[in-house]
Amino acid sequence: MELRQTRLDVILEATTPIAQAEGTDGNHSSHMARKVVQPDGTVVRVPTVTADAMRHKMREALTYALLDAAGMLEGKGPELTESALRLLFNGGMLTGRGSATAVKLTEFKDIMRKLPSLALFGGCANNHLVAGQLRVQDAQLVCAETWHLTPAWVQQWCKDHNRAPASFRAYLDEEMRVRDDPTRRRATQRLLSGEAADHTQRQLEASERAHDDDNAIAREATKSTMLPRTCEVIAPGALFYWSVIATTYDALEEDTFRTAVASFLAAGQVGGKGGTGHGYVRPLAGQLTELARPSATAETVDLAAVGQVGKIFKAHVTENRDAIRKVLAAVDA
């Protein structure tokens, strides 16, 4: 056993708007934010991307890398059970009492060896939580309000690249979207059946009468389903500082960690509204530090070099592909 604690610090840049909703007020959603105490003692809420969102996307990226290395993305695909899907993408769930095939604590160690992603991210065995080996931080917006908390090397990188931080308010934008109502458009009305077209016409006429009569109840009953809504997003080009610490015990776990990071950063996407192109980030710079060896200095790493990692991980998964398929077919998670 070779205990290693490795911290990876990364500067990320948003290449598309970032959307992670904290809550809604009517039809408006506000961006996730954290309280940050300023040097003068005042407190402000600064937009952020949560550690949960970052961690989940890392797990997802590593899961696809595992399925690919096991040859399970070919043909019809892996054809996973619901339990296997939960185990891989969420670590399973606590069910209290499972079936005869529920994962027992005594079996979980062997399963973690076959599925190295479980060791890093943890999961559930029967009615017990099995902790993972990662400590993931929020992706912190690099701005005037967080500058005093930003590591010196990140500050220096920003200065070297003329990226002076502005107030977080400068990075927040508001988008408006409208859900269309096809019954109100002449072109799509022509696609209706005769009965449906008559009903739509009666609705339009009733809506018109309600407006003329200033009848609030009738207006509500006949109003369009068109829905305008707004949401806060972080603008493209904004920088984030993100950190993750991994505790590993052998070369396989170390390579699995690097594979997870590299797979995630190769096409990083976090937050919501992914279907409309939101949430893409790219790595600009990074440092790798051995925490268990304080005498070691931080090492600058090439975060885009995905092909340089994953050899041990891929070899292990390929070698155990039959055992992995067997585990995923039988597991109750």
Side-chain angles (χ1 to χ4, degrees):
M1 181 183 75
E2 183 184 0
L3 170 64
R4 298 184 68 182
Q5 277 196 321
T6 307
R7 185 181 72 207
L8 177 66
D9 299 302
V10 187
I11 299 174
L12 298 170
E13 181 182 47
T15 58
T16 62
I18 306 295
Q20 186 179 7
E22 180 180 55
T24 58
D25 182 11
N27 292 341
H28 176 76
S29 63
S30 51
H31 200 282
M32 179 66 67
R34 302 277 199 210
K35 287 184 177 180
V36 178
V37 179
Q38 300 300 288
D40 63 0
T42 58
V43 179
V44 295
R45 286 175 52 81
V46 179
T48 190
V49 178
T50 64
D52 298 272
M54 304 297 289
R55 188 177 187 274
H56 174 71
K57 286 299 184 179
M58 280 182 66
R59 186 199 284 267
E60 183 178 281
L62 181 59
T63 294
Y64 280 114
L66 183 144
L67 293 173
D68 182 45
M72 297 179 68
L73 295 181
E74 302 169 359
K76 294 182 179 180
E79 298 187 299
L80 301 171
T81 65
E82 291 184 15
S83 291
L85 196 71
R86 286 194 295 266
L87 182 69
L88 290 173
F89 287 92
N90 298 100
M93 68 179 183
L94 292 173
T95 57
R97 291 179 297 174
S99 69
T101 56
V103 180
K104 305 298 183 183
L105 285 172
T106 52
E107 301 169 337
F108 201 78
K109 183 177 180 181
D110 182 58
I111 293 178
M112 283 196 299
R113 191 64 189 174
K114 293 183 175 68
L115 301 172
S117 58
L118 286 182
L120 281 184
F121 290 93
C124 303
N126 203 357
N127 66 330
H128 298 278
L129 283 173
V130 178
Q133 297 165 205
L134 294 181
R135 285 183 282 164
V136 183
Q137 294 184 10
D138 290 353
Q140 175 183 286
L141 181 67
V142 178
C143 60
E145 290 80 5
T146 62
W147 190 247
H148 62 292
L149 302 175
T150 304
W153 77 270
V154 177
Q155 293 183 356
Q156 188 59 52
W157 187 94
C158 291
K159 292 174 183 176
D160 293 342
H161 292 79
N162 297 317
R163 302 292 293 265
S167 169
F168 75 86
R169 296 171 183 84
Y171 303 113
L172 272 180
D173 196 8
E174 185 176 285
E175 297 180 345
M176 185 177 79
R177 296 290 184 269
V178 179
R179 183 180 69 195
D180 193 17
D181 183 355
T183 66
R184 301 299 173 107
R185 287 194 289 120
R186 189 170 182 79
T188 48
Q189 285 175 355
R190 295 175 181 273
L191 304 178
L192 294 170
S193 67
E195 183 180 348
D198 289 342
H199 177 266
T200 297
Q201 184 62 33
R202 289 194 297 271
Q203 283 287 99
L204 292 173
E205 292 172 357
S207 176
E208 186 177 67
R209 288 194 300 272
H211 174 74
D212 292 340
D213 297 341
D214 195 20
N215 187 326
I217 297 177
R219 280 204 308 269
E220 181 67 22
T222 60
K223 72 177 182 179
S224 167
T225 60
M226 186 177 293
L227 176 65
R229 58 193 185 277
T230 57
C231 69
E232 288 182 336
V233 297
I234 299 176
L239 298 183
F240 295 86
Y241 164 68
W242 176 57
S243 180
V244 54
I245 298 173
T247 301
T248 57
Y249 296 93
D250 56 32
L252 173 60
E253 292 183 354
E254 176 68 18
D255 197 50
T256 300
F257 167 58
R258 292 176 181 246
T259 302
V261 171
S263 300
F264 166 57
L265 293 180
Q269 188 179 25
V270 295
K273 305 176 78 66
T276 53
H278 290 67
Y280 282 100
V281 295
R282 65 179 178 184
L284 298 181
Q287 284 192 351
L288 206 62
T289 308
E290 290 286 344
L291 298 184
R293 294 173 176 79
S295 60
T297 57
E299 167 195 356
T300 300
V301 292
D302 181 3
L303 297 170
V306 180
Q308 296 178 9
V309 300
K311 293 181 180 178
I312 300 174
F313 169 80
K314 292 175 183 176
H316 170 86
V317 174
T318 301
E319 181 181 346
N320 290 274
R321 64 171 63 188
D322 292 336
I324 290 173
R325 289 173 183 268
K326 184 177 180 180
V327 167
L328 294 178
V331 71
D332 181 0

